[in-house]
Amino acid sequence: MKAVFVDDAYKVVVKDVEVPEIAANEVLIQVKVTGICGSDIHTYKGLHLFRKPPVIIGHEIAGEVVKVGDAVTKFRIGDRVTVEPQTGCGVCESCLTGNLNYCSRRGAPGLNGWYGTMAEYFAAPEQTVFKLPESMSYDQGVLVEPFAVGVHAVRKADIQLGDRVAILGAGPIGLLAMAAAKAAGATTTLVTDVIDYALEGAVGMGATHTLNIMNKQDWTTEAKELIGGEFDKVLVAAGVPGIVDNAISLLRKGGRCVTIAMFHGTQTFDIVNLQQGEKEIVGCMTYTREDTISAIDLIAAGHVKEDVIITHKLHYNEAAKGFQMVDKKEDSSLKVLVHF
């Protein structure tokens, strides 16, 4: 089968590999579409914390079941599915309490022999696979995984009806987190970025306010002026230096900041502002099964405008072009899909 590899930093190639054999508890999925994620770009640059080249890349997927293991009971050949691309040991306290994303032995595509999703076929354990509603397209289905990231962040933030929420970063994860915040009841959503077309996407996804912060030293004051006050919650979807301190500056007393982005290096912030205002910084790591189920339901209910966030659909032979496009922010790209 054909598979897309990040062979080395900034080098994407298509290779022939064997179709994966499935275990008794696994299903084999014919991949219809995959997505290029921001974390894939970290691998592309050789910066990812644990997924290192050479590797079959990808973890977002929608496709059709073409083979099931002998122990599989919930899926049949022909089922249209997506995958929550993580596994746990199944016996630690984290796994047993539903927090598989905390598991110290957490597995993911591209690690320990598990192929990534950017290939003609993908093998996945039955417990990670979810049926797509009949009304949901494969292009919508591939958004389930990144949207689950946003849903999880909103749960961690405890966003409530009427909350005023700032989303720092208008990439696909930031835009999907904003959609999840709106679904949870946020009535004011301000999105920041340094790229105008990304902010136009935020408007298309339903943001009430946007702010281009390029070359602005005091943009947090401007952001608060735009909404007439401070923010209840801030979702950080850009891992740039100083962003956590910016988030704290936006918050009201007692407000909460949730970090979604993948960070490199150290973040510094004003501890006095944090402490005297009883503000909170909360980490956010992937998602849980509950988040994935909610993501499917919310997409099916129309809470994600896929025609806004999906800007490009490429054949797998054009994957290298897609990675460069996402990395360099070319051709007004947001979510770039790779079709098989």
Side-chain angles (χ1 to χ4, degrees):
M1 70 175 183
K2 301 294 184 183
V4 176
F5 279 76
V6 173
D7 221 24
D8 204 345
Y10 297 98
K11 183 180 180 182
V12 174
V13 297
V14 177
K15 296 182 181 181
D16 287 303
V17 298
E18 294 295 322
V19 175
E21 295 291 333
I22 60 170
N25 68 329
E26 292 182 328
V27 302
L28 185 66
I29 301 166
Q30 183 183 43
V31 178
K32 300 296 185 180
V33 60
T34 65
I36 298 176
C37 175
S39 65
D40 294 331
I41 297 300
H42 286 275
T43 302
Y44 173 67
K45 293 180 175 182
L47 299 174
H48 199 283
L49 295 174
F50 51 82
R51 190 177 286 111
K52 303 294 184 182
V55 62
I56 299 177
I57 197 64
H59 56 272
E60 302 172 352
I61 178 176
E64 180 182 330
V65 174
V66 293
K67 188 176 182 181
V68 297
D70 293 341
V72 171
T73 60
K74 296 180 181 178
F75 298 95
R76 304 179 185 179
I77 293 172
D79 283 345
R80 302 165 62 259
V81 297
T82 188
V83 174
E84 180 186 307
Q86 59 180 359
T87 59
C89 68
V91 296
C92 70
E93 182 177 359
S94 295
C95 287
L96 293 176
T97 56
N99 296 305
L100 183 154
N101 53 327
Y102 298 171
C103 181
S104 60
R105 287 180 280 175
R106 176 180 169 271
L111 297 178
N112 301 321
W114 192 6
Y115 285 173
T117 60
M118 209 165 286
E120 290 184 281
Y121 295 93
F122 179 71
E126 179 181 25
Q127 72 269 20
T128 69
V129 182
F130 295 79
K131 290 182 183 178
L132 297 177
E134 288 300 320
S135 61
M136 188 177 292
S137 69
Y138 285 125
D139 285 355
Q140 290 175 309
V142 82
L143 296 178
V144 169
E145 191 275 344
F147 190 42
V149 173
V151 171
H152 187 64
V154 166
R155 289 191 197 277
K156 298 294 286 185
D158 191 29
I159 290 175
Q160 302 291 321
L161 181 65
D163 272 353
R164 298 186 292 185
V165 180
I167 299 92
L168 310 187
I173 292 295
L175 297 183
L176 290 167
M178 185 205 66
K182 287 175 65 67
T187 49
T188 298
T189 50
L190 179 140
V191 180
T192 68
D193 207 283
V194 298
I195 300 174
D196 283 335
Y197 81 76
L199 294 173
E200 291 170 6
V203 173
M205 289 285 284
T208 59
H209 302 77
T210 62
L211 179 62
N212 190 318
I213 63 174
M214 175 68 80
N215 298 324
K216 292 185 177 180
Q217 297 299 316
D218 192 27
W219 64 265
T220 56
T221 297
E222 184 177 351
K224 287 182 281 190
E225 289 173 350
L226 278 173
I227 71 158
E230 295 172 316
F231 291 85
D232 301 293
K233 312 289 166 53
V234 179
L235 306 179
V236 181
V240 298
I243 196 74
V244 174
D245 196 45
N246 296 143
I248 294 169
S249 297
L250 292 170
L251 284 171
R252 63 165 172 79
K253 291 183 178 181
R256 181 177 292 181
C257 157
V258 172
T259 59
I260 313 171
M262 184 172 287
F263 292 87
H264 299 284
T266 301
Q267 288 279 328
T268 59
F269 57 86
D270 182 352
I271 189 67
V272 175
N273 186 5
L274 181 81
Q275 186 172 17
Q276 292 191 351
E278 286 200 340
K279 301 177 183 182
E280 300 176 357
I281 302 172
V282 177
C284 180
M285 174 63 179
T286 64
Y287 29 68
T288 66
R289 184 176 184 85
E290 181 183 11
D291 300 316
T292 299
I293 293 169
S294 293
I296 292 171
D297 291 343
L298 289 169
I299 291 174
H303 288 276
V304 172
K305 298 179 180 178
E306 69 276 4
D307 57 332
V308 173
I309 197 166
I310 297 172
T311 56
H312 296 78
K313 302 176 185 181
L314 305 177
H315 186 270
Y316 68 83
N317 281 327
E318 300 178 288
K321 172 185 174 182
F323 274 81
Q324 178 178 312
M325 186 182 296
V326 175
D327 180 35
K328 302 297 185 183
K329 313 298 183 187
E330 295 175 347
D331 197 26
S332 300
S333 60
L334 290 172
K335 173 58 72 175
V336 175
L337 303 185
V338 175
H339 281 254
F340 285 84

